[in-house]
Amino acid sequence: MHTNLPETGYLRLSQIVGQSPVTEEQAAQNRKAGRRPVQPRPAIPAIIPVSRTTWWRGVKEGRFPPGVKLSGGITVWRVEDIRKLFERSGEAAA
């Protein structure tokens, strides 16, 4: 199994496909320009190194598991479904 995954629970998309860091300077520039993100954030390494667009396309095509919609329009994925994805692809790590 993938050692960075919890046993159970949910993952947000940024935890699956990763997220680039935003420094305080970049966040300040974004605030001035009216862009997002407006707060500094750490990098999140990708569990599955694909773009967000590729992920959503894969969900639509059935290559990736469907998400679970939470209140507020947040979509999350069951850890168990991500583990099954690794098993199907033969990429499960010991």
Side-chain angles (χ1 to χ4, degrees):
M1 285 292 134
H2 199 280
T3 57
N4 294 335
L5 294 177
E7 288 299 317
T8 62
Y10 296 99
L11 297 171
R12 293 184 72 159
L13 185 56
S14 61
Q15 294 172 290
I16 297 170
V17 301
Q19 173 177 279
S20 60
V22 175
T23 66
E24 178 57 51
E25 295 78 22
Q26 291 168 323
Q29 290 172 352
N30 289 347
R31 287 190 293 272
K32 287 180 186 176
R35 293 188 306 249
R36 297 186 68 92
V38 297
Q39 296 295 320
R41 67 181 188 202
I44 299 175
I47 295 171
I48 301 173
V50 298
S51 70
R52 290 175 173 267
T53 302
T54 298
W55 178 262
W56 283 113
R57 187 179 308 121
V59 169
K60 183 178 179 180
E61 295 171 354
R63 290 183 293 129
F64 300 134
V68 176
K69 270 289 202 201
L70 301 179
S71 62
I74 297 170
T75 304
V76 294
W77 284 263
R78 291 180 183 92
V79 170
E80 295 87 345
D81 293 341
I82 300 301
R83 287 183 184 278
K84 287 177 189 173
L85 178 63
F86 282 117
E87 290 170 6
R88 277 197 333 248
S89 67
E91 294 178 11

